[in-house]
Structures are given as structure tokens and as C-alpha cells.
Amino acid sequence: TMSVKAFKLVSAVEREMLMGDKNYINIECIECCGKNLYIGTNDCFIYHFLLDEKVSTTGKITFAATKQLHKYLGLKKPVSELKAASALTRLLVLCDNTITLVNMINLEPVPTGARIKGAVTFTLNENPVSGDPFCVEVCIISVKRRTIQMFMVFEDRVQIVKEVFTPEQPCAVAVDGYYLCLALTTQYIILNYNTGVSQDLFPYCSDEKRPIVKRIGRQEFLLAGPGGLGMFATVDGISQRAPVHWSENVIGAALCFPYVVALDDEFITVHSMLDQQQKQTLPFKEGHILQDFEGKVIVATNKGVYILVPLPLEKQIQDLLASHRVEEALVLAKGARRNIPKEKFQVMYKRILQQAGFIQFAQLQFLEAKELFRSGQLDVRELISLYPFLLPTSSSFIRSHPPLHEYADLNQLTQGDQEKMAKCKRFLMSYLNEVRSTEVANGYKEDIDTALLKLYAEANHESLLDLLVSENFCLLTDSAAWLEKHKKYFALGLLYHYNGQDAAALQLWVKIVDGDIQDSTRSDLYEYIVDFLTFCSDQELVWKYSEWILQKNEEVGVQIFTKRPLEEQEKNNVNPDDIISCLNKYPKARVKYLEHLVLERKIQKEKYHTHLAVLYLEAILQLKSVTTDNCTETTELVLKLRSLLRKSDLYRIRFILDKIQGTDLHMESAILYGKLEEHEKALHILVHELKDFHAAEDYCMWNSENRDVQYRRRLFHLLLSVYLTPGTSDCELVMAAVDLLNNHAAEFDAGLVLQVVPDSWSVQLLSPFLAGAVRQSIHTKRMTQVALGLAQAENLIYKHEKVKQKGAPILLSDKKVCQVCQNPFCEPVFVRYPNGSMAHTHCAASRHLNSNVTHHSPSSSNQT
């Protein structure tokens, strides 16, 4: 049990004041009510003192007792007990088994002589049931065997209320409402004197030691149990608190929350009700009285009276914290809640939690510290301020006064131990990261984020970049200086960017790429800058760094123009012509940019399409002039050129054709002739110069895409006539013509084909073509028959409808009116609607016209 200085023993009444040199006088009982102290002695006197509490400048408490008067009761018997009833200004005095009522001021008995006879001992009911403020309820153990009596005591009279019989002789009693807590000869019981219901608590032998029964709060008692235990019991017979361990021979006990004070023949012991531990021991010999009066604990020997002065709970808590006894301090602080006003308690308790947090922190108990800081709602700057240079220079923070801890800074706390310091920094990193997005950070987010940035930079922590690319409140000046000091130039660029200073950010990053300053954070920094500029809305910056970007790598660098956000490109913030002229020095980039305009953005402008085609063509011719082999690059370019020539209709065909003349780009020439609708020339090139029959067939297919059947058929017939040019006896061409017919039978008019093919060709040679042609002819005939049948059926339906309409006679008289104009018919000419109503022909015509104007389509009611 670790000691706490909870109480101090202060003398209240010295021996000389009471008895002078009369050694035979002994103190028998005491009562204290406010400043009034009453002492009953063995020689039948009552002494009245006034107690004055004095506090010195150093905080030391002393008591000065001034004797008011003394009174002899004239019975030559000891005064056994005194109890004050301040509401009645009466003192109840037990002497010689009689309770007398005397005036509290002059100690004179009441004139009526009201008294209670036959009392062994008595107690007052501090939770009275009568509800009368000018009456006290007194419970006595009667001289009659096994009898308890309840009285109501008024200013000048007494009245018996109840007499209760007990199973054994009672030795001690305490009262709460209707409940009596009794120490009988062999056990403690709870007895409801109103209902007579009793409940056994636990056995106890009163012959061996003096029982103690003490009311300590509403419906709760403190009892001296077996084995030196101080037991708590409620009126329901249960114990809501753990017992405290006393010595075997306790004489008296009292409660001064949160402590239980007990007296034996040598010591006063102090136990905590909160953790049941013994907290203090005060040597005190020959004590025989220990009582508490409205929170004032008084002890007495036969010769003198002393007061146990509790030290303020805050002082006790601070002493515990100073001894680093965090758990005990917190238990005591929680326990103090009931004695301190709520607002004051909350302020005090938060501060204690914070102090406890710093104690745990200093012992590197970071989890516990974090929990205490969180519960105590610590201003996190208190913690940051321990770490040198972490708080921004602009911070207005001043540490709490009185201080929450004894440390100047982290160096003192860790005594220069680098490993401990590193642990503390890691803890602060995680703690700040946790609290930065909570209410704890409100009001000083700048301080928190700036400190976090400094910690991350110093520790080379990966979260530094995450902090800078997400929402943060890092102060620019402080953070920039720190990042520069720690050579975190890439991060510094991010900081500048976050603060809207993109120019400064780019300047730094370019220096890193150029090797002027060293920072290995990103190995792909060039690509990062390209990406950054691509999405940068500041056109001036893009233009400023475009040259640098393109010089480094034109194919990657061109992305700053090709991958810009679509909405920005669509707004046409930058004129593509300006970009093209900028890219004239960078041929690869220029091609990529034109591809972007033509193929991705699909801009329908002749100059871009022609320019791209010319660039492809020039590149191909350049490559062909260098090498005769078709390298991969040449092949790729040729394919790109062909695709563009085929798919685009915007480039200047003649212009490109002139450039191709005299080269070996026959396929490209064929495509261009095709665009000019000069199909015969195109097919002649494909068949006679390239001898690429498959390409010739392809040519017919793609050239007739989205065109009618006749157009496609014309192309295929043209190809066939190229194959069968009179005077051509080339076996290869003949086979190509046969294959063409056999593979594309559907594309030909069989009658025309039979007219042009040589008579020398056998039927077997053309059998697939002929079979296909016959099948197609039969299919066409059948489909025509089906269509005819459907048309005839539809016609029949309309005829039937017409007959139905004619079936019923239509009667017209001068009484019938026109449905449109509501006028009668003057002549036998009319229009009849399907619903049977009739109208004038001119009315029906005008209605039909209006209906068409309004609805753009005749409704069903307009059918006649």
C-alpha cells in the first residue's frame, strides 16, 4: 500500500483547557454542530467550546477553541452520549440511562423537563420519516431486554412512536428511514421497524470485540465484520462495495469520502473506498473516540480532542501525479466528482487526465498516453511544443499555466537518447495523423499539419507526399524552409502547387530533372511534369516549358498538347495552328499532334488531313531513300498512310497524287484514283502493276461500302473486264477471273457475265458461279412471289373493309345536320365517317386540312 497524505491531525482542545490539573477527568463523548463543540466527561459535566478554523499564509490549518461555558448535570455519572438537534436548538444528553433535552446555548434543561428514560444508547434518524422540520426522530436501545424504541422529540416534549422487539439483545444501532441496522449478540441484521421484516447480514461475536454500526449515506451502513473487515451493507442486505481490511481491534470508524477512517488502540488508518487500499497511517495512542460530524472527522483520547483535517483532493491528486502514480490519481479524481461542482470538476478532471497523459508519455507508454490525451481533450499544441521547432514561428500558442508537466522539451525528457527520441517522434506522427481530421484540430489545423509535415520530412516518411496532395493546412513559409533544409525539393514543389504557385513548383522540378539539384523522390519526374503540364490550365506556363519538354523527349512531350482535358480542347483555348508551328522543329511530335487532331478529335479540316498525309508520305519516301528493305517503321507508316487515304475524304487528292507520281507507291495511287472515281485506272494498277488480285477484290469491297448494290456490281464487273481485257492470254489473270466469279457470285449479273466470258470456258470451270447464280435467281423469284402474295392478301383485306362499309344503307334527310358546322344538308352529297356521323364535303375537307396542320398526320376519324 503506497501512502497518500490524505489527512493531517490537528489539536482542537488541549488538556489544560478542559481539566487543568484535575487528572481524574476523562472525556466520555463529543458532539460537534457547526462551530459548536460539546464534550461530555466522566464527572457529569458538559463543556461548550467555539471552534475557529484558521488558515495561515502557507496554507497550514489550526483550530482555536474558546470555552463558552460548562454545566454540571448533578448525577455523578458519566455523560455517555451527546447529540445536537440544531433545528430545535436542543442538545440530547444521555446520562444514567436517561436522555435529557438541554438548550444548546445555555445548557439549561427544558422547562417542561421532557426526557426519555431507560436508554442504554441512542442515535438520531438522519433520514427522518415524519417530514416535520421541528422534530427529530430518536432511536434508543432500551434497558428492557431485546427492545428498541422509536421516539419523536420536539422542542419541549417527547413522544414514543414505536417499540420493536429483536431476536437477540442489541448492542449497537444506526437508523435510515424505517430501517434499523442492528448489531445483536451474535450477528448483524437489517430490520424494517414499520413492517417488522428483518434480514440477517453476517455473524459476529459481540463478546470478543466491540461492534461498529455506522450510517454512511442514504440506505447504506458501515459495519465492523469478522476478520478485521470493514463491511458495507445496504438496507436491502447487499454489499455494493468491496470491504476494507482493518486491524482486528478497531474501536471506531467514520467516512470522509472517498476515505474510510478507522481507529484502533495505536493508529488511525485511512483506506480508500475507491480501490480498498490503505492510503495513510497516523500514529495515535490511547484514542477511544472517532466520529464524523458533517464531514469533519474528530478523534479524542481521554484527555484531548483532535481534528483530522483532509488535504484538498486536488492536492492529493497532484501529489499522486508527482509520484507518477497515475492509476491511483485517476481513481481518486473520479471519486472526487461527488464533492466538487460539475463545471469545476470537469475542468479539474480534464487537466488531471492531461497531466497523467504526459506522465505516461514520458515513460514511453504511448497507447495509454494517447487515450488520456484524447479523454482529456488535450490542446495538441501542448504536445507539439515539446518537440523543438515543430510549431510554426507564427503560432500564438503559449503553454498551459500551471504547466502540465516538468519538461522543457524532448531533449530533456529523453535525456538525449536518440532511440527514445525517434520513438516519441513516431508516436507524434501517428497521433497528429489521427487527430488532424477530428474536432481536436479545430482552430489550429495549421499548427498540426505544419508539425506533421516537418516530422514526415525529417523522417523521410512516405506519407509526406500523401499529406501534400490531399487537403492540408501546412503554412507555406515555415513548411517551405523546412522542406528545403531537408532537401525535399519534389515535395516542396507539391507544396507550391497546393498554394497556387505552379510556376515555382515547375521551376524546382525542372532543376531536379536537369540535375541542378538532387532529389531522388521520383525517378519518373519528367513524365510527372509532362502530366502536370497536360492538366495545367495556365497556358503561359505550358508554352514556357513546351520547348524544354519537347527537347527532352518529343514523343512523350507532345502529350502536353494531345492529352489535354477534352473540355479545354473543345473551348479552343489554344489554336492548333499555333501548336503545329511550335512543333515544326519536332517532326515526330508534329506527326503525333496531327494524328491526334485528325484521328482522335476527328477535326474535319482539309489542311490537317492533307498535312498529315504529306508528312506520312515524306517520311516513307525518306526511309525508302535510306534503305531498300522494308523495315518495321516503313511498314507502319505505309499502313497509316493507306488507312488515312481510304477513310478520309478531306485531303487534296490531286495534290497527293502528284507527289506520289514516279514512286513505287502503287497501292496508294490506286486508292487515290478510287477517290477520284477513276476505278479503271485504279484496278489496272492493282491487277497489272501490283498483280495483287486480293487487293483488287478488297478495293471493290471498301470502295462500294455504304453505296447501293448497282454501284458495287459495276465495280466487280469492271474488275472482271480488267482481268478479261481482249488480247490477254495470261493464265494467271484467267484464274483470277474464274476465282472472282466463283467467290463473289452474288456480286454479278449472271446474264452479263455469260456474255463476256470466253466461249472456250467449260461449264465445270464456272460451276460454283453458275450454281450460285441459279440459286440467287430462284431466291429472288421466290422472294418476289412472297411479296406479291402479301400484297394481294392486304388488297383483299381492304376490299373486304370496303364491302362492309357498303353493306348498310345510309339515310339522308333534311333533318340530319353536319357534324362539323351543325347545319342541315341541302343536297345529296356528303362525307360519312367510320363512326357513322356525316358532314358536308367542304366541311370535311377544311377539317381534314386543319387536322393536318395541327397534327401533321390525319387521325383515324378523318378516314372516309
Side-chain angles (χ1 to χ4, degrees):
T1 57
M2 301 178 82
S3 67
V4 174
K5 195 165 184 189
F7 294 93
K8 200 172 167 193
L9 199 58
V10 179
S11 173
V13 180
E14 299 286 343
R15 170 196 173 119
E16 289 73 25
M17 291 184 70
L18 196 60
M19 55 197 74
D21 53 0
K22 297 172 187 169
N23 216 13
Y24 60 87
I25 297 176
N26 286 338
I27 296 170
E28 286 291 325
C29 59
I30 52 177
E31 168 68 316
C32 186
C33 180
K35 289 187 172 187
N36 300 291
L37 176 68
Y38 300 94
I39 299 174
T41 61
N42 61 340
D43 59 349
C44 209
F45 272 89
I46 301 172
Y47 292 83
H48 178 201
F49 293 92
L50 274 185
L51 277 181
D52 262 330
E53 187 176 322
K54 293 180 179 169
V55 184
S56 72
T57 49
T58 58
K60 187 180 177 185
I61 295 175
T62 52
F63 289 92
T66 316
K67 187 173 169 184
Q68 299 301 297
L69 86 153
H70 63 281
K71 178 80 178 167
Y72 178 56
L73 296 181
L75 294 169
K76 294 186 179 175
K77 292 282 178 79
V79 177
S80 309
E81 282 188 51
L82 295 169
K83 291 275 188 284
S86 56
L88 313 178
T89 63
R90 296 288 175 264
L91 190 65
L92 283 71
V93 183
L94 175 61
C95 182
D96 194 21
N97 298 132
T98 301
I99 299 170
T100 312
L101 269 67
V102 303
N103 186 299
M104 276 179 76
I105 310 301
N106 59 23
L107 303 182
E108 291 294 333
V110 292
T112 57
R115 63 190 59 209
I116 299 169
K117 293 183 178 178
V120 178
T121 181
F122 78 99
T123 186
L124 302 186
N125 188 352
E126 289 171 46
N127 182 18
V129 293
S130 73
D132 183 345
F134 300 106
C135 149
V136 292
E137 293 171 22
V138 178
C139 171
I140 72 164
I141 295 179
S142 176
V143 289
K144 290 188 206 172
R145 281 187 58 70
R146 300 190 313 184
T147 305
I148 299 281
Q149 290 175 332
M150 301 296 296
F151 288 87
M152 285 171 77
V153 175
F154 300 88
E155 255 183 330
D156 50 7
R157 64 190 175 90
V158 297
Q159 178 185 330
I160 188 161
V161 177
K162 189 91 173 176
E163 190 168 72
V164 183
F165 299 102
T166 56
E168 296 175 2
Q169 180 60 29
C171 321
V173 65
V175 195
D176 186 295
Y178 287 114
Y179 292 97
L180 306 175
C181 185
L182 293 162
L184 305 180
T185 318
T186 63
Q187 64 174 342
Y188 287 104
I189 68 164
I190 296 278
L191 174 64
N192 183 322
Y193 73 79
N194 189 38
T195 62
V197 175
S198 74
Q199 185 166 1
D200 296 352
L201 295 176
F202 48 83
Y204 183 81
C205 184
S206 62
D207 297 341
E208 291 175 18
K209 62 179 90 159
R210 185 164 149 191
I212 294 172
V213 181
K214 185 91 189 145
R215 179 184 180 271
I216 59 163
R218 189 172 173 77
Q219 301 193 337
E220 189 173 17
F221 304 96
L222 173 64
L223 316 168
L229 289 176
M231 308 278 281
F232 298 93
T234 67
V235 295
D236 299 319
I238 56 171
S239 184
Q240 291 177 321
R241 309 173 199 271
V244 292
H245 288 268
W246 288 333
S247 63
E248 286 285 351
N249 44 358
V250 170
I251 300 161
L255 183 91
C256 181
F257 191 84
Y259 298 112
V260 178
V261 185
L263 172 71
D264 61 27
D265 36 22
E266 286 193 46
F267 299 102
I268 297 167
T269 55
V270 179
H271 286 78
S272 169
M273 289 170 73
L274 305 169
D275 62 7
Q276 292 72 51
Q277 299 297 312
Q278 185 171 325
K279 300 294 182 183
Q280 190 178 8
T281 308
L282 296 149
F284 191 73
K285 291 197 187 302
E286 298 173 2
H288 75 112
I289 296 170
L290 182 144
Q291 276 178 278
D292 63 291
F293 305 96
E294 298 158 2
K296 195 178 283 176
V297 181
I298 300 183
V299 289
T301 60
N302 283 334
K303 307 299 179 189
V305 179
Y306 303 85
I307 295 178
L308 271 179
V309 180
L311 265 76
L313 281 174
E314 289 181 59
K315 171 84 170 76
Q316 295 179 42
I317 292 163
Q318 291 305 326
D319 289 349
L320 285 168
L321 288 171
S323 316
H324 293 180
R325 287 153 66 188
V326 173
E327 282 305 314
E328 287 178 81
L330 291 174
V331 168
L332 184 54
K334 271 186 209 158
R337 177 176 290 163
R338 62 184 257 183
N339 291 22
I340 299 173
K342 187 179 176 185
E343 307 248 321
K344 187 184 173 193
F345 171 78
Q346 283 179 336
V347 172
M348 180 194 88
Y349 189 57
K350 275 183 192 171
R351 183 179 164 79
I352 291 163
L353 287 168
Q354 293 171 11
Q355 286 176 281
F358 277 107
I359 290 165
Q360 297 284 31
F361 174 74
Q363 293 169 352
L364 308 188
Q365 302 292 322
F366 297 129
L367 275 176
E368 294 82 349
K370 181 167 82 173
E371 192 48 43
L372 289 163
F373 289 151
R374 195 187 58 74
S375 313
Q377 295 172 2
L378 176 76
D379 177 341
V380 73
R381 296 174 300 175
E382 286 282 356
L383 184 58
I384 298 171
S385 71
L386 267 177
Y387 296 70
F389 311 118
L390 284 198
L391 275 176
T393 44
S394 59
S395 176
S396 57
F397 174 71
I398 297 166
R399 279 192 191 174
S400 164
H401 189 79
L404 294 171
H405 53 79
E406 64 214 39
Y407 305 106
D409 61 21
L410 203 59
N411 293 317
Q412 185 198 337
L413 187 145
T414 57
Q415 294 174 333
D417 183 325
Q418 291 304 309
E419 194 182 333
K420 280 185 183 175
M421 211 175 276
K423 282 181 182 173
C424 290
K425 285 179 178 176
R426 282 199 295 276
F427 163 68
L428 185 62
M429 265 186 234
S430 75
Y431 184 61
L432 292 181
N433 192 38
E434 273 179 45
V435 301
R436 66 186 292 262
S437 53
T438 65
E439 287 174 19
V440 177
N442 288 352
Y444 27 85
K445 290 185 173 183
E446 290 89 352
D447 293 0
I448 292 176
D449 281 1
T450 306
L452 193 54
L453 173 135
K454 289 179 177 181
L455 285 166
Y456 283 157
E458 188 181 43
N460 198 20
H461 198 282
E462 58 195 13
S463 300
L464 173 63
L465 304 183
D466 296 334
L467 175 69
L468 287 167
V469 296
S470 56
E471 187 189 13
N472 69 77
F473 295 88
C474 300
L475 290 169
L476 181 60
T477 321
D478 251 65
S479 304
W482 191 272
L483 291 171
E484 203 161 335
K485 175 187 165 189
H486 289 280
K487 297 188 166 45
K488 297 285 172 196
Y489 300 113
F490 175 69
L492 178 54
L494 291 177
L495 178 72
Y496 282 139
H497 167 55
Y498 188 80
N499 284 277
Q501 299 184 17
D502 287 355
L506 281 162
Q507 196 176 354
L508 263 179
W509 294 336
V510 166
K511 279 184 181 175
I512 298 171
V513 175
D514 287 342
D516 300 341
I517 50 177
Q518 300 302 311
D519 182 349
S520 59
T521 308
R522 285 195 77 127
S523 55
D524 61 343
L525 184 54
Y526 169 75
E527 288 79 3
Y528 181 86
I529 297 171
V530 169
D531 206 42
F532 183 85
L533 282 169
T534 302
F535 293 93
C536 176
S537 54
D538 184 342
Q539 297 296 339
E540 278 184 44
L541 271 184
V542 178
W543 285 114
K544 180 179 174 181
Y545 287 100
S546 59
E547 290 282 331
W548 180 84
I549 288 280
L550 291 161
Q551 279 166 7
K552 289 276 172 201
N553 183 336
E554 57 179 292
E555 288 183 77
V556 174
V558 75
Q559 289 177 16
I560 63 171
F561 300 122
T562 60
K563 293 203 174 166
R564 299 199 73 68
L566 202 60
E567 59 273 17
E568 192 188 306
Q569 294 188 34
E570 282 167 0
K571 279 184 199 164
N572 243 349
N573 287 356
V574 184
N575 186 347
D577 295 347
D578 295 342
I579 296 173
I580 292 167
S581 57
C582 160
L583 296 177
N584 279 335
K585 286 188 277 181
Y586 309 101
K588 288 180 182 173
R590 185 173 52 181
V591 168
K592 282 205 174 294
Y593 183 65
L594 281 165
E595 284 176 344
H596 164 71
L597 292 180
V598 171
L599 308 177
E600 287 172 29
R601 286 182 60 194
K602 302 200 171 359
I603 289 181
Q604 305 293 303
K605 280 197 178 176
E606 172 273 317
K607 62 178 174 182
Y608 300 145
H609 288 244
T610 305
H611 196 168
L612 182 58
V614 168
L615 289 177
Y616 282 155
L617 188 55
E618 286 173 352
I620 293 166
L621 296 174
Q622 165 66 25
L623 283 168
K624 281 180 179 284
S625 70
V626 175
T627 173
T628 50
D629 296 333
N630 265 0
C631 61
T632 320
E633 198 181 344
T634 313
T635 312
E636 253 179 53
L637 279 168
V638 166
L639 289 173
K640 281 182 178 180
L641 175 61
R642 285 178 188 172
S643 172
L644 176 68
L645 295 178
R646 273 188 188 182
K647 290 176 183 171
S648 170
D649 293 322
L650 293 170
Y651 56 87
R652 286 154 58 198
I653 304 168
R654 295 275 179 204
F655 178 72
I656 304 292
L657 197 54
D658 290 346
K659 283 193 170 289
I660 285 180
Q661 294 299 346
T663 68
D664 61 350
L665 299 176
H666 302 299
M667 176 65 81
E668 290 68 23
S669 301
I671 294 169
L672 290 166
Y673 281 125
K675 288 282 179 182
L676 293 168
E677 296 281 329
E678 294 181 20
H679 300 302
E680 204 163 342
K681 278 187 186 175
L683 290 169
H684 189 273
I685 291 169
L686 294 172
V687 173
H688 295 294
E689 289 182 30
L690 283 177
K691 297 210 180 300
D692 189 340
F693 309 132
H694 181 68
E697 287 178 25
D698 264 0
Y699 174 91
C700 295
M701 296 299 281
W702 69 257
N703 248 307
S704 59
E705 263 175 20
N706 306 321
R707 305 292 281 263
D708 60 20
V709 178
Q710 291 307 318
Y711 190 86
R712 176 173 292 202
R713 189 163 278 184
R714 190 163 70 79
L715 283 182
F716 273 95
H717 276 283
L718 200 57
L719 177 56
L720 182 64
S721 64
V722 171
Y723 284 150
L724 300 177
T725 310
T728 308
S729 56
D730 189 334
C731 194
E732 214 177 341
L733 290 180
V734 171
M735 284 318 295
V738 172
D739 288 343
L740 178 68
L741 288 168
N742 288 340
N743 293 337
H744 297 280
E747 311 297 352
F748 288 95
D749 179 331
L752 288 174
V753 170
L754 290 173
Q755 286 172 26
V756 295
V757 295
D759 298 338
S760 56
W761 286 13
S762 68
V763 171
Q764 194 178 356
L765 189 66
L766 287 177
S767 64
F769 166 72
L770 293 169
V774 170
R775 193 178 298 116
Q776 182 64 36
S777 175
I778 293 168
H779 174 70
T780 306
K781 181 185 174 187
R782 284 174 180 166
M783 287 306 286
T784 309
Q785 285 172 338
V786 169
L788 178 64
L790 288 169
Q792 285 171 341
E794 193 178 9
N795 182 255
L796 193 61
I797 290 166
Y798 284 127
K799 279 180 178 174
H800 176 245
E801 282 292 317
K802 189 176 176 184
V803 170
K804 261 170 64 181
Q805 296 296 340
K806 283 181 176 178
I810 297 164
L811 300 173
L812 180 70
S813 71
D814 52 2
K815 289 178 184 165
K816 290 238 176 180
V817 292
C818 167
Q819 195 204 340
V820 179
C821 69
Q822 302 300 317
N823 290 323
F825 291 91
C826 304
E827 53 184 345
V829 181
F830 59 90
V831 172
R832 182 182 182 277
Y833 291 100
N835 62 4
S837 59
M838 290 183 279
H840 293 118
T841 50
H842 56 273
C843 290
S846 63
R847 180 179 176 188
H848 187 68
L849 187 67
N850 289 341
S851 172
N852 269 347
V853 170
T854 311
H855 304 294
H856 303 288
S857 65
S859 67
S860 59
S861 66
N862 289 337
Q863 292 173 7
T864 56

